[in-house]
Amino acid sequence: MNVLFHTDSFVWDQNGNMEVKNAHAAMLSNYEVFQLLTDLKEQKKDSGKSKHSAGQQNLNTIMYETLKYLSKTPCSRQRPEMVKAFLSTMMRHKLTKAEKLQLLNHRPRTAVEMQLMVEESEERLSEEQIEELIQTIAELLPGEDAATAEAETA
């Protein structure tokens, strides 16, 4: 597999295929969860297996509801190269993995939102750095604005 990029949890190849790297990794982005559940849904369709047990029906419901929710969020429009660019850009900032994950999942648009996601941001980041982060996030990650624009042109 030619690896395009990887996180602690998954590896993506150049074709956008995702492989679980560490099944016990603790933190997943919304994008990773969305992709994993989408892949599982497709595998299930291809296998033609139907619901058997109450446990399986509950699992199917959880998968359906999670996909339904995530499909309405910006993660459904993210692509591996976007996430890679975001993570590469974030390397120059002294942020924890959890903070990067929060920024990736929630796409803060204001300094107040940023302060809620970056611990002790007032001490660790200048106002210019916060604005730079907000601008970078807006440029690299799709948001609700993109979905609205797509819906209006369709």
Side-chain angles (χ1 to χ4, degrees), residues 55-70:
Q56 185 62 42
Q57 287 179 348
N58 291 339
L59 185 58
N60 290 339
T61 301
I62 292 168
M63 194 164 90
Y64 171 78
E65 292 296 332
T66 304
L67 276 171
K68 182 178 167 184
Y69 169 77
L70 289 175

Side-chain angles (χ1 to χ4, degrees), residues 72-75 77-78 107 109 137-138 140-150:
K72 297 175 185 174
T73 67
C75 77
R77 293 177 298 283
Q78 290 175 352
R107 296 187 73 257
R109 290 183 262 176
I137 291 165
L140 295 177
L141 299 174
E144 290 84 9
D145 301 337
T148 304
E150 288 175 17

Side-chain angles (χ1 to χ4, degrees), residues 126-146:
S126 68
E127 286 184 32
E128 293 80 23
Q129 289 172 315
I130 290 173
E131 287 304 317
E132 178 188 343
L133 279 169
I134 292 168
Q135 185 64 35
T136 300
I137 291 165
E139 289 172 3
L140 295 177
L141 299 174
E144 290 84 9
D145 301 337

Side-chain angles (χ1 to χ4, degrees), residues 35-47:
Q35 285 302 118
L36 180 63
L37 291 178
T38 301
D39 291 347
L40 287 172
K41 182 179 171 185
E42 289 302 315
Q43 288 174 5
K44 196 171 171 180
K45 258 189 219 174
D46 294 342
S47 70

